[in-house]
């Protein structure tokens, strides 16, 4: 009799285990991510490569976006569910109603690890910050690129009248125009900045000198969050595990970064992967400064608030 009871109990445990495994992988929620070709998305690529999304019952489709405006179009049209963006674009999204929410930092600048660089063309003769006064700097208007250009130069003592920018939203075009000398200066993210410097551009200033202004974020459409809260939690849990793997052995993913076009081929084996930030969200002070900049530029912040635009509810 005892043998029968033992066998029956073992059978029940086995059935439950099989059922649990089956439910974990049968119908993972698909998440479409609009992604710029920037290093900030590396945790997504690593999580895919290491099978971490499946472990947390989600699948991820990465949709390439050549510029921030293109990324934002994809989100607005419902063609993508999430993105790596920044506080400024979230403010613009939410000025009429809450359309997206920031759920995590993607990257943060540190004194030893810059994200964005203001570079001068090698033909321009510019090598100091002071020489940027009145010089048109190529940026993507109304994005973190323009915000950081203003804030970095203001922190160096520039007045509003001494800062001049020109709209070049496509990253590739901005690089090409800087390389050809058609642009005297431009703001670019790393590692593209490293590539352009290797080709002769001159570093003038980067955000490591004022890291409090510089960070990127992970955001989702609010409707997607409301309909799929567990999928957002799963995505962020996979992201966190990917960050741990990257930070433990950064160069392990050197080939992957080149393969996924996050690092240009000429930098293969030469680019040092920065440490990625662990779970956290932008602070109230960072939000308030972005709001102030939006108002300074004459844009409308509308109903966008820290409370409705940023949440840590889904962090692991």
């Amino acid at each position: 009799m005892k043998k029968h009871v033992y066998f029956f109990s073992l059978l029940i445990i086995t059935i439950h285990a099989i059922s649990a495994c089956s439910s974990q992988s049968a119908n993972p929620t698909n998440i479409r991510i609009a992604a710029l070709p920037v290093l900030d998305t590396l945790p997504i690529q690593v999580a895919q490569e290491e099978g971490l999304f499946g472990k947390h019952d989600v699948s991820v489709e990465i949709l390439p976006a050549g510029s921030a405006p293109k990324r934002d179009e994809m989100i607005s049209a419902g063609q993508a569910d999430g993105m790596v963006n920044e506080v400024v674009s979230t403010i613009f999204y939410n000025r009429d109603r809450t359309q997206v929410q920031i759920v995590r930092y993607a990257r943060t600048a540190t004194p030893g690890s810059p994200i964005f660089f203001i570079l001068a063309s090698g033909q321009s003769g510019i090598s100091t910050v002071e020489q940027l006064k009145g010089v048109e700097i190529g940026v993507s208007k109304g994005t973190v690129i323009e915000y950081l250009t203003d804030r970095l130069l203001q922190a160096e003592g520039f007045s509003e009248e001494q800062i001049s920018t020109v709209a070049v939203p496509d990253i590739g075009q901005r690089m090409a125009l800087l390389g050809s000398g058609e642009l005297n200066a431009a703001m670019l993210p790393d590692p593209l900045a490293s590539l352009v410097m290797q080709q002769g551009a001159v570093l003038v200033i980067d955000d490591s000198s004022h890291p409090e202004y510089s960070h990127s974020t992970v955001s989702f459409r609010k409707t997607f969050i409301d309909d799929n809260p567990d999928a957002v939690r799963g995505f962020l849990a996979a992201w966190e595990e990917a960050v741990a793997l990257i930070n433990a052995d950064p160069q392990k993913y050197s080939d992957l970064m080149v393969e996924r076009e996050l690092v240009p081929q000429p930098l293969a084996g030469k680019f040092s992967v920065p440490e990625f930030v662990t779970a956290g969200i932008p602070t109230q002070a960072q939000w308030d400064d972005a709001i102030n900049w939006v108002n300074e530029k004459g844009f409308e912040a509308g109903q966008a608030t820290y409370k409705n635009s940023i949440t840590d509810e889904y962090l692991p």
Side-chain angles (χ1 to χ4, degrees):
M1 181 64 180
K2 289 182 179 179
K3 289 184 179 179
H4 287 298
V5 171
Y6 174 78
F7 176 78
F8 182 74
S9 299
L10 186 61
L11 180 62
I12 293 296
I13 291 171
T14 303
I15 290 172
H16 278 298
I18 293 173
S19 175
C21 291
S22 176
S23 63
Q24 182 179 10
S25 58
N27 295 296
T29 302
N30 187 56
I31 302 175
R32 302 164 299 171
I33 300 293
L36 295 169
V38 293
L39 191 61
D40 308 53
T41 62
L42 179 60
I44 301 175
Q45 305 287 358
V46 170
Q48 272 197 333
E49 186 74 8
E50 301 289 355
L52 301 179
F53 288 128
K55 175 182 173 182
H56 293 283
D57 292 335
V58 294
S59 63
V60 170
E61 181 182 0
I62 300 173
L63 307 176
S67 67
K70 178 60 179 176
R71 174 202 65 197
D72 294 341
E73 286 175 17
M74 295 166 70
I75 292 289
S76 295
Q79 297 169 348
D81 306 308
M83 59 183 166
V84 171
N85 69 327
E86 70 289 322
V87 167
V88 170
S89 67
T90 297
I91 292 170
F92 291 147
Y93 268 112
N94 293 347
R95 53 189 168 190
D96 295 323
R97 66 184 190 281
T98 304
Q99 296 191 70
V100 303
Q101 279 190 319
I102 291 170
V103 295
R104 194 192 191 283
Y105 279 127
R107 283 186 67 195
T108 60
T110 67
S113 180
I115 301 176
F116 291 97
F117 299 67
I118 298 180
L119 305 176
S121 166
Q123 300 97 300
S124 68
I126 297 170
S127 59
T128 67
V129 175
E130 187 71 16
Q131 290 174 294
L132 288 174
K133 288 181 177 178
V135 173
E136 286 192 335
I137 302 170
V139 302
S140 181
K141 290 280 189 176
T143 70
V144 67
I145 296 288
E146 186 181 18
Y147 164 75
L148 282 174
T149 300
D150 285 350
R151 285 299 189 249
L152 291 183
L153 295 180
Q154 287 165 354
E156 293 294 317
F158 281 46
S159 66
E160 183 179 344
E161 294 74 23
Q162 291 171 327
I163 301 171
S164 179
T165 58
V166 59
V168 188
D170 185 88
I171 294 175
Q173 185 181 16
R174 210 179 311 146
M175 289 174 61
L177 292 175
L178 185 70
S180 68
E182 293 178 69
L183 271 178
N184 283 321
M187 170 73 91
L188 288 169
D190 221 13
L192 299 179
S194 292
L195 175 62
V196 177
M197 284 189 284
Q198 183 175 286
Q199 297 169 344
V202 177
L203 170 62
V204 181
I205 187 173
D206 63 53
D207 57 9
S208 67
S209 57
H210 304 284
E212 65 274 16
Y213 296 118
S214 188
H215 54 274
S216 58
T217 57
V218 180
S219 302
F220 286 93
R221 289 187 294 112
K222 184 63 166 61
T223 54
F224 183 85
I225 293 174
D226 291 344
D227 292 342
N228 304 277
D230 289 339
V232 175
R233 289 189 181 93
F235 178 90
L236 292 181
W239 181 292
E240 200 67 25
E241 290 185 30
V243 165
L245 291 174
I246 295 166
N247 290 346
D249 187 4
Q251 296 311 120
K252 176 181 178 181
Y253 300 103
S254 294
D255 291 342
L256 180 67
M257 291 188 300
V258 175
E259 177 189 326
R260 303 295 170 84
E261 299 183 345
L262 304 184
V263 171
Q265 181 64 46
L267 295 180
K270 304 174 185 176
F271 182 76
S272 296
V273 182
E275 184 174 2
F276 275 76
V277 64
T278 54
I281 56 173
T283 65
Q284 180 77 57
Q286 288 172 323
W287 171 268
D288 290 345
D289 188 71
I291 285 283
N292 290 338
W293 180 81
V294 167
N295 291 331
E296 290 165 12
K297 303 302 284 189
F299 300 122
E300 292 292 331
Q303 300 178 28
T305 66
Y306 183 83
K307 184 176 180 179
N308 66 20
S309 300
I310 300 178
T311 178
D312 61 1
E313 180 180 350
Y314 306 97
L315 292 175

